[in-house]
Amino acid sequence: MTTNHILTVENLSTRFQTPDGEVEAVNNVNFHIDPGETLGVVGESGSGKTQIFLSLMGLLAKNGTSTGSVRYKDKEILNLRSRDLNKIRGVSMSMIFQDPMTSLNPFLKISRQMTEVLVEHRGMSEADALKRAIAMLDRVGIPGAAQRVHMYPHEFSGGMRQRVMIAMALLCDPEVLIADEPTTALDVTVQAQILDLLRDLQKDFNTATVMITHDLGVVAGLCDRVMVMYGGRVVETGTVRDIFYDSHHPYTEGLLKSMPRIDRANEDSMFAIPGQPPNLQNLPTGCAYQERCGYVMDRCCVERPLLKGFGDGRASACFREDGQ
Amino acid sequence: MTAMTAPDKRDNAPILSVRDLKVHFPIPGKGPFAKDRPLKAVDGVNFDLFPGETLGVVGESGCGKSTLGRAILQLIAPSGGQVAWLGKDIVGIPHRDMQPLRRDLQIIFQDPLASLNPRMTIGEIIAEPLVTHKPELGKDEIKTRVKRMMARVGLLPQMINRYPHEFSGGQCQRIGIARAMILEPKLIVCDEPVSALDVSIQAQIVNLLQELQREFDLSLIFISHDLSIVRHICHRIMVLYLGNVMELADRDSIYAAPRHPYTKALISAVPIPDPEIERNKERIVLTGDLPSPLSPPSGCVFRTRCPFAQEKCATDVPTIDRVSETQEVACHFHDSI
Amino acid sequence: MMNKSEKTALLQSAGATKEIEGRSLWRDARIRLFRNKAAVGSMIILGIITLLAIIAPLLSPYAYDQIDWGYIQEGPNWENGHIFGTDGNGRDLFVRVLYGARVSLAVGLLATAVSLIIGVTYGAIAGYFGGKIDSIMMRFVDVLYSLPFMFFVIMLMVVFGRNIFLIFVALGAVEWLTMARIVRGQTLSLRRREFIEAAHATGVSNFKIIFRHVIPNVLGPVIVYMTLTIPQVILTESFLSFLGLGVQEPLTSWGVLISEGAKVIEASTWMLIYPAVFLALTLFCFNFIGDGLRDALDPKDR
């Protein structure tokens, strides 16, 4: 099986051992990423969207284990020793997080944190590495990069810190950039700047990007393909148009309807998905969405709908597709 | 839209009138003998709130919107100005006189779990305002009322002995709402009540607030950074920037025809969940970050990020102009841009 | 909006009166604590020591101050009933060690209780009100801290004479300072929490906020510190007794016994070993319980 996917994920499952029992955070997830595309991963908190990517980056919490297969090009990388993983992680695949402060060392200057990677992985000299770091900071829109590279993380504002993170992630020309809610902690005007920047950078570098977010607005503006997660499983995949204009899964539909929209005056009340997000420790038999679904059938409560493809990368996990 | 028209103001006196409200925090200067510098979190805010009305207060982090909400409730002492509650100024009144008024003034917080005492059962949490203000009520009466309110906000009444950590975020927010509603107050300040919740839960909470508002003729001050939620729940909207009001208008005017460049930028920055519209819409992208509130720009505080700034903006502080019956704007050039 | 089925379910359940019991954080902590083997083992050992101390007179035919002229400073001997041997005055060491346990444990518990009551209240008030009140109250603590403790105790002894209650007072008066600092620090961070603000907004009085919202939420670290204070107090008492400032003969404590044993370490090792083992065992137990409690009360820090 030869493919030109950069990243292929097959049957990925991630479990956590907790004092209250085993929790299956990610369940049998399959997807792939092609060069230059942007994949949106949408879901609520606890849907497993972040855990997928922490698993494949080898960043799971200690009580977590993953099974399945993750291939970077043709190399299996799941559960690799961290020494081997480090040749890929941060070099060919980078990840940026919601809170940049958690991934920046507050006691080191930005210059030091940026050049370290280049010197180690690229064998660059300190001087060249610094030049590249400055060029990269300049590229992500940090004014006065040559001076500011010598500052400490806390001297930057939230938006600027996220820019620094993006610059650091792009230093080694990664082929995959995983962005986990990169704009959630930012103000809307700054969010717009960062989203513009990500769009621009993708054009320039042709990096495959994964955008993990709960904000469908961000997905609409940025992504090519979308994967919707619920209760640790993928419930629907498709192109951004498919998802937004022709959604098949009731959860996707509900999510879209319940998003408040700034461009529309509202009716009497907002559409709301009833009920609470599922408790992963205590998932019902059958479909995880059954308790909140408007189309629920008897079958949904006994049997779990599998993700079923229907052409062109479209798939949905719902019995409604069976034409019942 | 007809179902959500603002209550007719002319018939009613405002329930709350805020005049030139200021909150300045002293920040210690650099060096041991330097003078304290004032951080002007809220700097001269004026508005009226009418019974049954929802006023949205929007702005970016650090614009003073949360401080404003707390200053209205006298949880933070204002440095100047007036807050007239039912026609009576409550700024600086003695603690003793303020206590009875708190029955009518409540607050809901952003972080649903953090706003509930983890060591108390939710029955005790919801009952606390009752126990405080109506000590004459018997235990059974209190319990009945708590259960009734729990059912009203969508919580199972038999959960009364459970603890906050046993609930999801949305349910915790319902507990917070039940606590705020149990005394049937006249005004609730909602400080980002849905920001910490999942999208599918946000709408539930917004709808609950709207239902309660109709049922109890509540006034709401809805503080939020999310302009799309605000559009759905608020009758009027006030845009704050560095503690100053940029624009104050009713909902339809502000979204259809924003007059202040900051309002325009804010609205255009909100992503729309529709790929076609989102990718083709016109946007005003602001450059840079919020200036430090310790040294706000001279003249118009927004001028450093304003794409239309001119010389006049650096020297003159714009006054709030009434541009229509329902819209007020603080910009020198609101006519030309 | 709720859908119909949910609403009817809600209405039906509103009629149902059966209330579901909640799982309090304290209960969770207790469950976690009882999963900790070292802590449970320590609690059992401590329980046995305490029980022995309480029923001490029933266990041995000898009284703690009774001199057995036939066996002066004799080693352990099962046949004559002096199972730990006797001391230089011919008194049964087994009974004396258990009586010493009474004094040591009582001093530990009472002095800690004194420090707990004063420290928690003082710290919570200082931390909650903050500002000038906090500054004044904490400077007072700083001043007391800087007084030399030994000097303070010796002065008390000189003025009021040697008295076991003075030891409680002296130790409690010193230990509450640290407790107050811990509680104040915790309260300062709690004060900004939203549930405190919610109580304010409702108009709950400061006094009630402190006792209903602040103190229950600082008890976690307080309890942990308490289990570490008890051995510290026992140790300090032993030290005072070692110096001759502790309890008065013929009453005894582990410190006194160790002090006596140390003098004759070459001739009669048992006089040192038995009280020392009991003291060390108790200290270990308290420390293990403290560790267990810390993990149980704050599982994130593990």
Side-chain angles (χ1 to χ4, degrees), chain A residues 44-45 157 187 189 191 193 196 199 217 220-221 223 241 244-245 261-262 266 270-271 273-276 292, chain B residues 3 60-61 168 198-200 203-204 207 227 231-232 251 271-276 278-279 283 286 288-289 305:
Chain A
E44 296 175 291
S45 48
S157 70
D187 285 314
T189 57
Q191 165 173 297
Q193 296 169 5
D196 275 357
R199 236 186 308 259
C223 300
R241 282 167 179 284
F244 280 86
Y245 301 130
R261 290 185 57 155
I262 198 163
N266 75 311
M270 286 170 75
F271 175 84
I273 302 178
Q276 303 297 321
R292 308 175 72 186
Chain B
E60 296 174 284
S61 50
S168 68
D198 279 318
V199 181
S200 73
Q204 294 179 2
N207 288 337
L227 281 100
R231 175 162 200 174
H232 287 266
R251 188 212 16 217
I272 298 169
D274 184 319
E276 214 44 62
E278 173 64 13
R279 286 170 201 217
R283 286 197 295 167
L286 293 181
D289 295 313
R305 296 174 76 194

Side-chain angles (χ1 to χ4, degrees), chain A residues 147-169:
Chain A
Q147 290 84 48
R148 297 194 78 169
V149 74
H150 297 296
M151 291 167 109
Y152 289 92
H154 67 92
E155 297 177 84
F156 292 82
S157 70
M160 284 296 160
R161 253 179 243 149
Q162 199 55 280
R163 284 174 196 264
V164 171
M165 276 310 300
I166 294 172
M168 282 178 73

